[in-house]
Amino acid sequence: MKSIIANLNKAFESRIRLGIMSILSVNETADFNTMKQLLEVTDGNLASHLKALEGLAYIQSAKQFIGRKPNTQYRMTETGKQCFQEHLNALEALLK
């Protein structure tokens, strides 16, 4: 018998990673500070989760300066979109 949780993606088990992907699924890009405020997490906590998602190639970052302030923008990759949608589909199937 197949496990009912077999299709859940372990990368999205954390509420913070789920939040990051949710933000990026409805916004083309989001910057570090915006995500920090929306998720109500510390710099270090957010940075570690972003790094993990970047390592899996689910998101990518672009660094720039706005005036004299550094700004890092994040976007979901095609792989990230596909994996996140599969995870959402698995959650939906689990709830049915």
Side-chain angles (χ1 to χ4, degrees), residues 2 31-32 57 62 69 83 88-90 93 96:
K2 187 175 180 182
D31 67 29
F32 185 91
K69 293 185 178 185
C83 290
L88 293 178
N89 292 344
K96 288 185 180 180

Side-chain angles (χ1 to χ4, degrees), residues 15-82:
R15 67 181 183 87
I16 296 168
R17 290 185 195 175
L18 190 62
I20 290 166
M21 296 302 283
S22 297
I23 291 166
L24 294 176
S25 71
V26 296
N27 298 285
E28 188 174 326
T29 64
D31 67 29
F32 185 91
N33 287 328
T34 298
M35 286 196 280
K36 180 183 161 189
Q37 289 174 341
L38 290 172
L39 298 171
E40 299 179 347
V41 294
T42 64
D43 287 2
N45 199 352
L46 180 58
S48 67
H49 287 288
L50 289 167
K51 183 177 179 181
L53 290 170
E54 262 191 296
L56 294 167
Y58 290 169
I59 64 172
Q60 61 186 19
S61 64
K63 297 179 188 258
Q64 62 185 358
F65 281 88
I66 298 178
R68 292 186 169 182
K69 293 185 178 185
N71 179 274
T72 305
Q73 293 284 328
Y74 294 89
R75 73 175 56 246
M76 207 182 314
T77 63
E78 287 303 317
T79 300
K81 288 177 188 177
Q82 179 182 348

Side-chain angles (χ1 to χ4, degrees), residues 1-8 90 93-94:
M1 181 175 176
K2 187 175 180 182
S3 170
I4 61 172
I5 60 171
N7 293 329
L8 295 176
L94 182 64

